[in-house]
């Protein structure tokens, strides 16, 4: 094979690396400024808003931040409850629905799958007015349930789980379970769920991150500041309260995304593999 | 005696689908219908639950369609989406071509992918506030940077400039999504039958020819899928424009979703108008995705039919020849 590395070829390769490094810096820069400025005081930020070196005012910024009714711990707990519960519901019931679609031959199977494909594109936001009024009538605003329960019906996750099961499910495994006298639910819980672990892990990450980052629905439904999720708390950082407390604003922003950064850098390999997998739609 | 073999498990298909269907009916279908109904009523004001149908059922829809803010928000949504999508798809394609090239092995791809995709999983609300701080006036990191690099002497009030504000919102969307699009495209390219690339290489095709003649046509489906999801997401753009400048300055970053939110949950709580606007958006989204899917499916179906015809022709020919040979 020909491997002519002429001068323009080499230059082109250098250009590729330069572009990639610039893009990488572009990904890091805003977050770097955020984290570093979280440790600096207003005076330092006013003197020079970009610095690569952290300073020592972290504790001070924390005091100012918490002193103005910003309660990151509360928001963290609220977001955690909602995201964890809805993630569990999403992965369990999506696996169950997908299993029902793959393992059994029932008359409405194909229509039901087409239906799931059709509703995949409908965003929850366009139905928010009716959703809010419905919840208001049954006294469920300022309650986490309306943010958690809808997670049972997650069409994109069902779609992904179905694709995964089609590739991995072996009918013999189900049959051997049946011969042992296991019921269908037992087979699903004890045999199928463990098989689906890799798919469940990826979908759990995406479901969790999606729920954690959600702003629209919580903002519509939650008005009691004790129930605020982290993204709602972030929106408070824009208020006049923090006008010149730059360090505190940056600290508040940093706190809200810290869990995401930790998750991301621990699991980035799986997350990126999951994006790639989820995209290969037949 | 019970016959084991005769058991039909079909009913479990229905049973296992019940939770999904039930929750969908309660939390999605009913709210959708309810939203549609509210669109035809006089329902407004906080804390009220009673409403009457309007004499002219389409009054809200007409008022919304004539509302200059709504028209502007629709225009902004399309403009901001386009400004983000075109560079996004071009950059994603370029990076895909670089990262999947067999001739140029790019090192450090793993780390580049991790960094390019990173903004996508970070809370959009946080990113919106972060960028409005970055572009702060008179003190802000970007202003500091501009002055240090000698690009400007005086601090610039970026966020007061309509085009700049709109550009920044589009940039944030672009910055958050190009990594995702790139990973999706790379997965698509890796899914192409390697024999096609080998054939191209044997035929002496250059990298450029291979990319435009083999790679691009083969990821067409994935590109269209990306287009649809991005379009639907773009038409619902809310977090960034809402928290970046709350639609301002002078409504220049007001998107349709922010408009709907402000109609319903701020000011005079015009639920009926917001519901009408939601339904209009709903229909626009339906038309867009249906159109794109129609184009997509039609092309593939046409191709399939052509191939089948060719195949049949070839078969018939072969049969004829075979018959002739035997005679």
């Amino acid at each position: 094979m020909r491997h002519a590395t002429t001068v323009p070829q080499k230059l082109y390769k250098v250009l590729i690396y330069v572009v990639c490094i610039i893009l990488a810096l572009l990904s890091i820069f805003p977050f770097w400024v955020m984290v570093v400025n979280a440790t600096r005081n207003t005076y330092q930020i006013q003197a020079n808003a970009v610095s690569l070196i952290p300073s020592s005012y972290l504790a001070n910024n924390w005091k100012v931040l918490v002193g103005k009714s910003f309660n990151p711990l509360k928001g963290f707990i609220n977001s955690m409850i909602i995201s964890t519960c809805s993630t569990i519901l999403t992965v369990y019931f999506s696996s169950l629905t997908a299993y029902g679609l793959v393992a059994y031959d029932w008359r409405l199977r194909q229509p039901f799958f087409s239906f799931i494909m059709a509703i995949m594109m409908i965003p929850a936001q366009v139905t928010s007015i009716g959703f809010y009024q419905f919840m208001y009538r049954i006294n469920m605003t300022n309650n986490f349930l309306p943010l958690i329960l809808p997670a049972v019906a997650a069409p994109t996750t069902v779609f992904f789980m179905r694709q995964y099961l089609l590739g991995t499910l072996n009918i013999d495994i189900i049959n051997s379970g049946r011969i042992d006298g296991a019921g269908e639910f037992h087979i699903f819980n004890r045999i199928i769920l463990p098989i689906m672990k890799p798919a469940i892990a990826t979908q759990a990450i995406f479901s969790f991150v999606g729920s954690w980052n959600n702003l629209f629905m919580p903002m519509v439904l939650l008005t009691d500041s004790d129930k605020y999720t982290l993204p709602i708390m972030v929106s408070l950082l824009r208020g006049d309260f923090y006008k010149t407390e730059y360090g505190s604003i940056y600290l508040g922003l940093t706190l809200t995304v810290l869990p995401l950064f930790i998750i991301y850098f621990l699991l980035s390999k799986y997350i990126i593999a999951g994006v790639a997998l989820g995209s290969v739609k037949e | 005696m019970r016959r084991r073999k005769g058991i039909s498990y079909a009913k479990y298909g229905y049973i296992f689908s019940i939770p999904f269907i039930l929750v969908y009916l309660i939390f999605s279908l009913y709210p959708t219908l309810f939203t549609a109904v509210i669109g035809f009523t006089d329902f407004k004001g906080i804390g009220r639950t009673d409403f009457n149908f309007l004499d002219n059922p389409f009054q809200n829809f007409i008022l919304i369609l004539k509302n200059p803010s709504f028209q502007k928000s629709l225009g902004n949504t399309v403009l901001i989406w386009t400004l983000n999508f075109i560079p996004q798809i071009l950059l994603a394609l370029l990076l895909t071509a670089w990262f999947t090239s067999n001739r140029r092995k790019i090192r450090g791809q793993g780390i580049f992918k991790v960094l390019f995709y990173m903004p996508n999983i970070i809370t959009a609300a946080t990113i919106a506030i972060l960028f409005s701080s970055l572009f702060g006036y008179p003190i802000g990191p970007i202003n500091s940077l501009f002055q240090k690099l000698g690009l400007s002497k005086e601090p610039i009030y970026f966020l007061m400039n309509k085009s700049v504000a709109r550009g920044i919102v589009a940039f944030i969307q672009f910055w958050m999504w190009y990594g995702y699009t790139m990973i999706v495209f790379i997965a698509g390219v890796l899914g192409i039958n390697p024999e096609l690339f080998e054939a191209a290489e044997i035929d002496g095709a250059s990298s450029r020819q291979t990319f435009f003649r083999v790679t691009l046509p083969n990821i067409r489906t994935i590109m269209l899928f990306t287009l649809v999801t991005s379009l639907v997401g773009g038409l619902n753009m809310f977090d960034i424009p809402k928290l970046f400048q709350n639609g301002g300055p002078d409504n220049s970053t007001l998107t349709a979703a922010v408009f709907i939110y402000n109609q319903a949950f701020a000011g005079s709580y015009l639920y009926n108008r917001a519901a009408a606007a939601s339904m209009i958006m709903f229909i626009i989204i339906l038309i867009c995705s249906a159109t794109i899917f129609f184009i997509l499916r039609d092309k593939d179906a046409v191709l399939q039919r052509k191939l089948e015809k060719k195949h049949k022709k070839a078969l018939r020919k072969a049969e004829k020849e075979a018959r002739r040979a035997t005679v």
Side-chain angles (χ1 to χ4, degrees):
Chain A
M1 213 125 295
R2 228 161 16 103
H3 268 291
T5 39
T6 51
V7 174
Q9 278 285 328
K10 263 186 193 163
L11 266 176
Y12 190 54
K13 208 166 170 176
V14 170
L15 175 80
I16 292 175
Y17 280 111
V18 169
V19 171
C20 287
I21 288 167
I22 290 173
L23 288 172
L25 289 177
L26 203 61
S27 283
I28 299 168
F29 174 74
F31 300 119
W32 184 266
V33 170
M34 175 181 83
V35 173
V36 170
N37 279 351
T39 67
R40 304 168 78 219
N41 68 7
T42 304
Y43 173 73
Q44 286 171 328
I45 295 172
Q46 272 179 340
N48 186 1
V50 183
S51 168
L52 298 181
I53 312 135
S55 180
S56 55
Y57 289 89
L58 186 63
N60 220 36
N61 287 336
W62 169 262
K63 259 182 229 153
V64 174
L65 184 70
V66 180
K68 294 195 173 173
S69 75
F70 186 84
N71 194 342
L73 195 68
K74 188 117 215 165
F76 183 85
I77 293 169
N78 290 341
S79 280
M80 208 49 150
I81 295 170
I82 296 173
S83 304
T84 310
C85 294
S86 52
T87 302
I88 293 169
L89 289 184
T90 295
V91 292
Y92 183 79
F93 285 103
S94 298
S95 306
L96 187 73
T97 314
Y99 181 66
L101 276 168
V102 173
Y104 303 106
D105 197 10
W106 40 301
R107 206 193 308 157
L108 293 179
R109 170 158 83 163
Q110 201 47 47
F112 182 50
F113 181 64
S114 309
F115 168 74
I116 287 176
M117 294 278 283
I119 60 174
M120 240 159 64
M121 282 297 150
I122 300 175
Q125 273 178 30
V126 292
T127 64
S128 61
I129 311 291
F131 190 81
Y132 170 76
Q133 286 303 329
F134 177 32
M135 291 305 136
Y136 185 78
R137 269 149 212 259
I138 57 171
N139 233 334
M140 286 288 252
T141 54
N142 281 321
N143 192 316
F144 291 161
L145 284 178
L147 295 169
I148 294 170
L149 287 179
V152 169
T156 20
T157 317
V158 174
F159 183 86
F160 182 89
M161 296 297 195
R162 178 184 173 270
Q163 302 301 94
Y164 184 82
L165 271 180
L166 281 178
T168 48
L169 190 68
N170 186 344
I171 198 81
D172 292 340
I173 303 172
I174 308 172
N175 282 334
S176 66
R178 283 174 185 160
I179 289 166
D180 292 342
E184 296 301 302
F185 276 97
H186 190 87
I187 291 176
F188 172 74
N189 286 326
R190 289 301 153 92
I191 303 174
I192 306 303
L193 274 185
I195 295 176
M196 295 180 74
K197 249 185 203 158
I200 288 175
T202 6
Q203 287 308 299
I205 296 169
F206 289 115
S207 166
F208 186 89
V209 170
S211 174
W212 185 272
N213 290 343
N214 192 11
L215 173 71
F216 190 88
M217 265 336 212
M219 206 153 116
V220 167
L221 287 169
L222 308 173
T223 49
D224 177 1
S225 62
D226 274 348
K227 297 278 165 71
Y228 279 176
T229 59
L230 273 184
I232 303 182
M233 294 208 157
V234 166
S235 70
L236 299 179
L237 290 172
R238 262 196 60 102
D240 292 331
F241 260 14
Y242 296 93
K243 202 117 215 187
T244 54
E245 296 292 349
Y246 300 112
S248 304
I249 295 178
Y250 286 115
L251 178 61
L253 294 174
T254 308
L255 287 174
T256 57
V257 292
L258 213 56
L260 290 175
F261 273 115
I262 294 169
I263 292 180
Y264 188 60
F265 284 105
L266 287 177
L267 303 172
S268 59
K269 223 180 189 175
Y270 304 97
I271 294 175
I272 286 174
V275 176
L277 254 177
S279 67
V280 187
K281 307 223 149 89
E282 285 159 47
Chain B
M1 232 172 75
R2 260 192 354 201
R3 279 179 55 202
R4 263 245 173 262
K5 265 193 175 170
I7 296 174
S8 163
Y9 291 102
K11 66 171 182 196
Y12 286 100
Y14 293 96
I15 295 171
F16 284 9
S17 309
I18 287 173
F20 183 100
I21 292 171
L22 219 58
V23 168
Y24 180 78
L25 290 181
I26 298 171
F27 290 105
S28 286
L29 189 66
Y30 176 65
T32 310
L33 299 175
F34 198 21
T35 307
V37 168
I38 292 172
F40 296 104
T41 66
D42 63 353
F43 188 26
K44 61 187 165 199
I46 195 165
R48 273 184 56 191
T49 48
D50 58 310
F51 54 76
N52 300 304
F53 284 96
L54 293 166
D55 296 334
N56 173 8
F58 291 100
Q59 195 188 336
N60 289 324
F61 291 88
I62 294 162
L63 278 172
I64 282 293
L65 286 172
K66 279 186 185 159
N67 184 326
S69 291
F70 181 70
Q71 291 168 358
K72 184 145 200 206
S73 75
L74 258 188
N76 285 338
T77 309
V78 173
L79 181 66
I80 291 173
W81 178 76
T82 314
L83 280 178
N84 116 75
F85 190 71
I86 292 171
Q88 177 191 324
I89 205 150
L90 290 178
L91 181 64
L93 278 176
L94 186 66
L95 291 169
T96 303
W98 286 348
F99 283 5
T100 56
S101 162
N102 279 328
R103 290 183 198 172
R104 285 180 231 102
K105 292 257 181 281
I106 303 296
R107 268 183 236 168
Q109 278 190 35
I111 202 97
F112 284 136
K113 278 185 201 167
V114 167
L115 288 174
F116 296 172
Y117 180 67
M118 186 174 70
N120 193 266
I121 68 142
I122 304 301
T123 320
T126 304
I127 287 177
I129 309 262
L130 178 59
F131 271 77
S132 81
S133 307
L134 291 180
F135 286 92
Y137 171 88
I139 297 130
I142 303 293
N143 260 322
S144 290
L145 215 62
F146 265 49
Q147 281 163 345
K148 236 189 249 172
L149 297 174
L151 290 171
S152 66
K153 276 190 185 131
E154 299 287 309
I156 304 167
Y157 206 161
F158 293 104
L159 303 179
M160 261 303 137
N161 185 317
K162 289 192 223 172
S163 320
V164 174
R166 223 180 258 142
I168 295 170
V169 173
F171 173 79
I172 297 173
Q173 297 283 347
F174 156 82
W175 177 74
M176 283 181 78
W177 286 95
Y178 80 90
Y180 168 85
T181 308
M182 174 197 78
I183 292 171
V184 168
F185 285 176
I186 290 176
V189 172
L190 296 180
I192 299 173
N193 187 350
E195 281 171 21
L196 288 177
F197 290 112
E198 279 162 30
E201 198 163 326
I202 290 166
D203 289 347
S206 68
S207 320
R208 186 164 300 179
Q209 280 171 324
T210 312
F211 184 74
F212 283 103
R213 300 285 168 82
V214 181
T215 313
L216 269 190
N218 276 294
I219 58 168
R220 204 190 56 211
T221 314
I222 286 181
M223 282 173 68
L224 274 165
F225 189 81
T226 313
L227 178 74
V228 179
T229 40
S230 170
L231 186 62
V232 173
L235 287 171
N236 281 294
M237 204 187 315
F238 175 77
D239 300 16
I240 304 259
K242 172 75 184 165
L243 293 187
F244 181 63
Q245 287 295 299
N246 198 8
D250 193 21
N251 284 352
S252 62
T253 60
L254 184 80
T255 59
V258 177
F259 173 84
I260 291 170
Y261 180 89
N262 289 346
Q263 287 278 308
F265 303 108
S268 35
Y269 299 90
L270 301 168
Y271 298 120
N272 53 352
R273 305 273 160 77
S278 295
M279 281 300 120
I280 292 167
M281 289 313 289
F282 188 87
I283 290 164
I284 292 174
I285 289 168
L286 276 187
I287 293 171
C288 287
S289 44
T291 314
I292 296 168
F293 272 122
F294 181 74
I295 295 168
L296 174 68
R297 196 165 56 187
D298 206 29
K299 264 190 187 160
D300 277 358
V302 167
L303 214 76
Q304 194 75 26
R305 248 176 275 144
K306 261 189 193 165
L307 281 175
E308 264 168 27
K309 251 188 203 166
K310 249 189 194 169
H311 196 73
K312 267 186 196 159
K313 241 185 194 171
L315 260 179
R316 240 177 279 146
K317 219 177 176 185
E319 255 171 32
K320 256 186 200 167
E321 266 161 30
R323 231 176 282 150
R324 234 178 263 154
T326 47
V327 169

